[in-house]
Amino acid sequence: MNHFLSHTEIANLRHIIEEHERIANQLESLAQTSEKQEISNKLHKDAEVAKLLHQQLLTTFN
């Protein structure tokens, strides 16, 4: 059985991929400006997860 994505589904996937990149950048920015080391560390970890998901989505759907 062949499964093809519609133009709307492709647009939605692009949006999700872009959002993961945007979120990663925002988390990195917040981590750099956080005064508390514990919060900064958590934000850096969360940013890394978002970057990884972004990369995985790009690999899967390119």
Side-chain angles (χ1 to χ4, degrees):
M1 182 187 287
N2 290 332
H3 294 282
F4 295 99
L5 297 175
S6 71
H7 290 290
T8 301
E9 290 168 324
I10 291 170
N12 288 339
L13 283 170
R14 284 188 183 132
H15 178 74
I16 291 168
I17 292 169
E18 291 168 0
E19 281 300 301
H20 274 84
E21 182 177 35
R22 186 184 64 77
I23 290 167
N25 292 337
Q26 285 181 331
L27 289 167
E28 279 295 332
S29 179
L30 289 170
Q32 291 173 1
T33 59
S34 176
E35 294 179 11
K36 294 191 176 196
Q37 190 62 41
E38 183 178 339
I39 292 172
S40 179
N41 291 342
K42 176 65 174 148
L43 291 169
H44 277 298
K45 287 179 187 177
D46 290 347
E48 287 301 315
V49 170
K51 287 177 189 175
L52 179 62
L53 288 172
H54 175 253
Q55 204 53 263
Q56 289 173 340
L57 289 168
L58 282 176
T59 302
T60 301
F61 295 106
N62 268 342

